[in-house]
Each structure stands twice: as C-alpha cells, then as structure tokens.
Amino acid sequence: MSAQQTSVPVVAIDGPGGSGKGTVAMRLAQDLGWHFLDSGALYRLVAVAAMDRGIAADDEAALGRLAEGLDVNFGVSGDGMLVLLDGNYITGRLRSEPVSAFSSRAAALPAVRAALVRRQRAFRKPPGLVADGRDMGSVIFPDARLKVFLTASPDARAARRYKQLKEKGENVNLSRLLEEIRKRDERDSSRAISPLKPAPDAHIIDSTEMSIDDVLIIVHGLFQGLSADD
Ligand code: C5P
C-alpha cells in the first residue's frame, strides 16, 4: 500500500449481521462524502458465484481461486447499492438466507479471506472510506481513525432481518431466522482466522434499544471528537 493510501482516513464499523452496521456505515459515508465498502457483500458475491457454478462451501482451493478472480462492480442507486457480478445485476440475490449461510461458511476459509484483502484495501481512496464488516478495524484497516463495534441482541437482530426480508416480499419465519443468526454468530465468532470480535481500541455500541438515527448521532459525535483532538 502506498504512503498516500495509508494517509487516507478510514472509519471502521464492525459487528454481527442485523446490528445495523451496514445502514449506519452507508449513511455516515453519505454524510461525510466518503467512499463506502460493504465487505460482507464481497463474501456474499463469492457465495453467489460459487452457488451458480456448483462449487461446494468447503472447497477451499476452488473458492479461493473464485474470490481472486471475481468480476465485480458496485454502483449506487437512490436508496442503496447496485451490485454486478460478471456484468449481471444480482443485487436482489445477495441478502437471501442461503447466500448468508454459504458466505459465512466460505468466510471461514483462509484462502478466501486472503484473496479478498487486496480488493478491500483498494477501496481506500481520498477523501476517506467508511468500511463495514467483521474485521475492518482488527485486520483490514488496523490504522482506522475511528473503530466502532456495533452489536444488538440476537432477538433484536432477527426481528430487524425479518422486517427487511418481509418488506422485500420474501417468505420468512422469525424463529428460523433467529436460529440462523445464532448459528452464523457462532461460526463467525469461533473461526480461527479473523473471528468476529471487537478490536481492542473499538468503541462498542449496543443498539438493541436504539434506532439507526440514535446510533448515527453517537457515531458522528465520536467522529467529531476525533477531529477536535487532531
Ligand atoms: O455483513 P454480512 O452479513 O453481509 O456478511 C456476510 C458474511 O460474510 C458474514 O456472515 C461473515 O461470515 C462474512 N464476513 C466476514 N468478514 C467481513 C464481512 C463479512 O467474514 N469483513
């Protein structure tokens, strides 16, 4: 990485699925006029590409090669992100539960994680980057200016996911979602490489009883506090 790149400020927002980190990170990036990286989308893209090609979730060599060569493009639409894989729009498929489960299994494989490191760091461009994921503050951008670890109870996260998927017209079951969230937490937290855990210097925010707006106010406050210290 060039010296110019490392001087570009990063805000890292990590946490489990359904904690609200994606929405908070995207809105913070919009407010600051910075770039945005949804690192989970990269793991989800590996999952979609693998499922389309019939590659198994434990075939580390094949998944590593796939992650290395992924042909991906991101764009922004009015209310969210547009994702192209091999030139095709696949945004709608990214958040489905089979893709969530596959991506979490693939993300435990060292070859997949290694293949995505450079791709993630390439998002670090002036004037700054807001990155959301599991290991943004601990592994990918350890020198991030501000690190936030956003969490919420599994019940609150399952209820949020339920609402999101319902609004998209998907047929979902709350208790199954809760079960899947617990399984994914367990897998993400217990894996040997880059497990889901706060960086030692992260600010931990529990959003169980908070709205996204409440969380954004806190994160903006932390960010402004940093600027005042500079
Ligand atoms: O954040 P999201 O739920 O979209 O991430 C999908 C999966 O990708 C997670 O369950 C996790 O296993 C993996 N992931 C990861 N490291 C990241 C981002 C996501 O391991 N930085």
Side-chain angles (χ1 to χ4, degrees):
M1 208 184 306
S2 71
Q4 196 212 346
Q5 254 181 319
T6 49
S7 67
V8 173
V10 175
V11 173
I13 305 195
D14 289 304
S19 59
K21 65 183 172 11
T23 313
V24 169
M26 191 185 288
R27 285 188 43 194
L28 182 67
Q30 278 167 354
D31 293 348
L32 299 175
W34 286 12
H35 298 278
F36 168 59
L37 165 63
D38 170 2
S39 61
L42 293 174
Y43 290 92
R44 288 173 181 275
L45 278 158
V46 172
V48 171
M51 289 160 88
D52 284 354
R53 289 165 176 76
I55 298 174
D58 58 357
D59 187 344
E60 179 165 6
L63 290 171
R65 277 194 302 274
L66 188 66
E68 193 76 55
L70 219 53
D71 172 12
V72 180
N73 279 295
F74 291 99
V76 181
S77 74
D79 54 351
M81 202 171 56
L82 290 177
V83 186
L84 285 103
L85 177 64
D86 301 322
N88 300 312
Y89 285 105
I90 53 106
T91 320
R93 292 175 63 195
L94 270 193
R95 309 257 148 225
S96 73
E97 279 310 307
V99 169
S100 299
F102 194 116
S103 64
S104 149
R105 290 182 64 193
L109 304 173
V112 173
R113 302 203 75 83
L116 295 181
V117 169
R118 206 166 14 103
R119 220 178 253 273
Q120 293 173 86
R121 291 192 177 143
F123 280 78
R124 185 173 196 167
K125 290 190 192 135
L129 174 70
V130 181
D132 97 64
R134 302 290 188 289
D135 60 347
M136 298 297 96
S138 54
V139 176
I140 305 295
F141 304 110
D143 61 337
R145 280 261 190 102
L146 173 64
K147 299 179 187 179
V148 171
F149 191 86
L150 192 56
T151 177
S153 71
D155 288 285
R157 291 187 283 125
R160 289 174 190 169
R161 203 57 124 196
Y162 178 82
K163 194 165 162 264
Q164 269 176 358
L165 293 172
K166 255 307 210 253
E167 278 168 6
K168 282 198 210 144
E170 285 195 31
N171 188 11
V172 279
N173 171 297
L174 184 58
S175 53
R176 237 193 40 223
L177 267 184
L178 180 60
E179 180 57 30
E180 274 157 10
I181 278 189
R182 285 191 202 281
K183 255 199 247 155
R184 203 142 69 90
D185 281 359
E186 168 61 26
R187 198 162 36 224
D188 289 351
S189 309
S190 63
R191 69 183 174 218
I193 179 168
S194 299
L196 169 66
K197 75 166 197 261
D201 48 349
H203 299 264
I204 299 176
I205 303 175
D206 184 335
S207 74
T208 304
E209 305 284 338
M210 289 186 200
S211 68
I212 292 289
D213 288 331
D214 296 336
V215 177
L216 254 178
I217 290 170
I218 296 177
V219 175
H220 267 293
L222 289 169
F223 184 79
Q224 274 153 17
L226 281 184
S227 311
D229 288 347
D230 278 349

